[in-house]
Amino acid sequence: MIAAADINITKVERSKLSDINLTNLPFGKYFTDHMLEAEYENGEWKSVEIKPYQPLLLDPSVAALHYGQAIFEGIKAYKNPQGEAFIFRPYDNFKRFNISAERMQMPAVPEDIFMNGLRALIELDRNWIPNEEDHSLYIRPFMFSSDEMIGVRPSEKYKFLIILSPTGPYYNTPMRIYVEEKYVRAVSGGIGYAKAAGNYGAAMYATATAKKLGYDQVLWTDAFEHKYVQECGTMNVFFIIGNKAITPDLSSGTILAGVTRDSVMTVLKEMGLTVEERPLSILEAIDAYKSGELKEVFGTGTAATISLIKELKYKEFSMEFNPERCEVATEVKTRMNQIRYGIVPDSHGWMCKV
Ligand code: COI
């Protein structure tokens, strides 16, 4: 058991914070003063330390660079009006991290290292949590295989790290989305439900192709018929049809079980909508659009929170949505922000005090 007090901490001599303005921040560009690093070797985790943020020195043969045993998480910390720091649902991300680890044949990270490490690191760098609207401290835990050996097999050594980035919104403006029918993100039996680095690398070609056509992101569809909706870019996706909120279900293992997705489903139910988790075909969405029932489509994710979609392009057909009329997404976002920034009481037990 590693208590917060057992973590070896080396502090920076001078904080970089005075060099950075914590307003209008881009996503993921700046990093705080400290990072956590732990090593796995001979079947156990050891040497958990917090130290000044610094480059890693890696042998060129390090396994993750060749075969991609690499996973990560995204979590956010916020400050309430009294200046107290809270982390949004970190235990859910911790559980998902180890689900990803199992799928990638990597060791589980124990809860005490993940959670006590996270708290100790944020405690140290708490002044980096921005105050501005739509800003937060983005927390990036990640693990990669670190054997220095290029045989193809699960590594015997791993590194687990946590870095922190004071951050602004991921997508600033409503998005134009291209419904992808050629490339796929995930297939049943694959790693779509894991937060594995390779999922993101594999998505870049299709995304770049859609960008050349003038779109911001793709809406992924199933690998067999290219009909059933999966994720939108790096986000889960919701369709508001009449009084229903429909989001793809998790049963095929092709979709990430988003913590924001789960929170949004709770908030939507509190707003009086019926939430359906089920396969949703793009043809059903088009029919609902044509009959005027499909009112809004939006993406959800830790980095993105709630992102409005202003256009969905499927073959030659374009569905357009007026962002000013996306009332459901706007209300969900307001309610989620009120909880996250401590403006209303957290009746769900989502906010975890640092
Ligand atoms: C997140 O929402 O935290 C993500 O993982 C998306 C992305 C920045 C990779």
Side-chain angles (χ1 to χ4, degrees):
M1 164 87 183
I2 305 229
D6 298 332
I7 299 172
N8 185 9
I9 297 181
T10 311
K11 293 188 189 171
V12 289
E13 282 172 14
R14 176 191 167 272
S15 172
K16 298 175 291 190
L17 185 53
S18 53
D19 306 338
I20 290 171
N21 181 357
L22 292 184
T23 58
N24 291 321
L25 287 166
F27 176 83
K29 180 163 179 212
Y30 301 108
F31 296 94
T32 65
D33 288 325
H34 301 93
M35 65 188 208
L36 177 136
E37 187 173 339
E39 309 271 351
Y40 180 91
E41 196 172 3
N42 298 327
E44 60 175 355
W45 286 99
K46 50 181 200 175
S47 74
V48 185
E49 57 175 332
I50 290 177
K51 57 189 182 182
Y53 187 92
Q54 58 193 265
L56 301 173
L57 185 63
L58 297 175
D59 191 272
S61 68
V62 79
L65 298 180
H66 301 269
Y67 307 123
Q69 271 186 298
I71 60 169
F72 69 96
E73 269 304 326
I75 312 175
K76 278 180 172 172
Y78 300 85
K79 251 192 239 160
N80 70 9
Q82 293 74 43
E84 297 167 309
F86 287 85
I87 315 170
F88 186 73
R89 302 188 69 175
Y91 285 94
D92 296 270
N93 294 87
F94 161 67
K95 285 185 205 134
R96 189 174 67 184
F97 189 77
N98 281 338
I99 290 171
S100 302
E102 184 182 25
R103 179 63 181 84
M104 298 301 291
Q105 191 60 36
M106 300 166 88
V109 172
E111 182 175 325
D112 49 352
I113 296 182
F114 194 103
M115 290 306 306
N116 293 339
L118 189 56
R119 280 176 198 272
L121 185 63
I122 295 180
E123 180 59 44
L124 201 58
D125 284 346
R126 63 189 300 139
N127 291 340
W128 287 80
I129 305 177
N131 286 317
E132 206 176 332
E133 198 184 337
D134 284 336
H135 283 53
S136 58
L137 187 68
Y138 185 79
I139 303 163
R140 174 53 65 88
F142 61 106
M143 171 168 42
F144 63 91
S145 54
S146 55
D147 268 7
E148 291 151 4
M149 135 77 174
I150 54 170
V152 182
R153 55 153 176 72
S155 184
E156 286 167 5
K157 290 198 293 176
Y158 293 85
K159 277 184 190 291
F160 170 66
L161 291 100
I162 307 177
I163 54 176
L164 308 174
S165 174
T167 225
Y170 195 77
Y171 297 110
N172 271 320
T173 49
M175 294 180 297
R176 299 182 66 213
I177 303 291
Y178 182 82
V179 181
E180 183 57 63
E181 289 186 277
K182 180 171 179 190
Y183 305 107
V184 293
R185 176 187 173 276
V187 59
S188 190
I191 59 167
Y193 68 89
K195 212 158 171 65
N199 279 334
Y200 296 79
M204 287 182 192
Y205 185 78
T207 311
T209 308
K211 281 193 177 158
K212 279 190 202 141
L213 298 172
Y215 297 90
D216 300 298
Q217 271 296 347
V218 299
L219 179 66
W220 298 105
T221 54
D222 72 281
F224 302 109
E225 298 177 74
H226 293 302
K227 239 169 58 185
Y228 291 95
V229 167
Q230 292 183 341
E231 292 189 11
C232 181
T234 63
M235 300 177 292
N236 294 118
V237 65
F238 285 79
F239 287 69
I240 307 299
I241 300 183
N243 194 39
K244 289 183 186 161
I246 305 171
T247 191
D249 65 297
L250 307 176
S251 63
S252 62
T254 53
I255 290 166
L256 198 73
V259 178
T260 309
R261 171 187 182 274
D262 185 71
S263 314
V264 165
M265 288 197 295
T266 301
V267 170
L268 286 165
K269 286 178 200 158
E270 288 169 354
M271 286 164 54
L273 278 88
T274 303
V275 176
E276 291 183 0
E277 288 179 84
R278 62 167 173 84
L280 173 68
S281 143
I282 190 71
L283 302 178
E284 177 185 344
I286 289 175
D287 283 347
Y289 179 82
K290 286 183 176 161
S291 69
E293 287 281 282
L294 175 58
K295 311 247 176 55
E296 299 175 39
V297 184
F298 57 89
T300 67
T302 300
T305 64
I306 313 287
S307 282
L308 301 184
I309 291 174
K310 66 177 178 190
E311 183 186 345
L312 260 187
K313 170 92 166 171
Y314 177 65
K315 297 189 193 286
E316 297 309 310
F317 191 71
S318 210
M319 294 180 258
E320 289 180 12
F321 306 93
N322 180 347
E324 275 158 32
R325 296 233 189 98
C326 291
E327 288 158 16
V328 173
T330 307
E331 176 68 15
V332 173
K333 188 170 175 186
T334 303
R335 290 188 185 213
M336 295 274 295
N337 276 350
Q338 286 175 334
I339 299 170
R340 289 189 283 220
Y341 293 103
I343 294 159
V344 299
D346 165 30
S347 58
H348 309 97
W350 287 341
M351 305 308 292
C352 182
K353 195 159 192 290
V354 174

